[in-house]
Amino acid sequence: MRFMTINVSRVAWLQNLQLHLYIEKLLGLILQWKVQLQKEKQVFLSVFLMLRRMFNSVMFLLIFCFSVFMFRHVGSALAAILKNK
């Protein structure tokens, strides 16, 4: 009977060890996944910031061109009004 008890406790110990090894492996995979996610997040943020800067530049150019167009249009209209008076 004592042999069976030792054998059962040894099996339980081995199963416990396997469980710990499995948990360690799982934690390692989670850590790798987290690091990969952080790298992808950094890449996404840098691309997003670059696109935002490009969008801001394009919007600035569009507003500037529109302003120049409107000033020329308003200026020629004012000149025509002043010429007629």
Side-chain angles (χ1 to χ4, degrees), residues 13-47:
W13 182 81
L14 285 174
Q15 288 176 343
N16 196 13
L17 180 64
Q18 286 175 338
L19 182 64
H20 281 292
L21 291 175
Y22 179 74
I23 290 172
E24 280 185 25
K25 187 176 181 181
L26 194 61
L27 288 175
L29 289 174
I30 290 172
L31 184 63
Q32 287 176 353
W33 180 66
K34 183 180 175 186
V35 168
Q36 183 66 28
L37 214 66
Q38 286 175 344
K39 287 179 185 177
E40 290 176 3
K41 181 181 173 185
Q42 288 174 345
V43 169
F44 173 76
L45 285 177
S46 64
V47 169

Side-chain angles (χ1 to χ4, degrees):
M1 214 40 162
R2 187 166 181 252
F3 177 74
M4 290 292 284
T5 306
I6 292 171
N7 201 10
V8 168
S9 64
R10 184 172 287 173
V11 168
W13 182 81
L14 285 174
Q15 288 176 343
N16 196 13
L17 180 64
Q18 286 175 338
L19 182 64
H20 281 292
L21 291 175
Y22 179 74
I23 290 172
E24 280 185 25
K25 187 176 181 181
L26 194 61
L27 288 175
L29 289 174
I30 290 172
L31 184 63
Q32 287 176 353
W33 180 66
K34 183 180 175 186
V35 168
Q36 183 66 28
L37 214 66
Q38 286 175 344
K39 287 179 185 177
E40 290 176 3
K41 181 181 173 185
Q42 288 174 345
V43 169
F44 173 76
L45 285 177
S46 64
V47 169
F48 175 75
L49 290 175
M50 181 186 68
L51 290 175
R52 193 176 80 178
R53 284 188 209 116
M54 287 174 54
F55 177 76
N56 287 343
S57 300
V58 168
M59 288 304 291
F60 174 76
L61 287 174
L62 286 175
I63 291 171
F64 179 74
C65 292
F66 180 73
S67 301
V68 169
F69 172 75
M70 288 305 293
F71 285 136
R72 289 183 72 190
H73 184 67
V74 170
S76 62
L78 283 176
I81 290 171
L82 292 176
K83 236 183 200 181
N84 287 338
K85 284 190 175 186

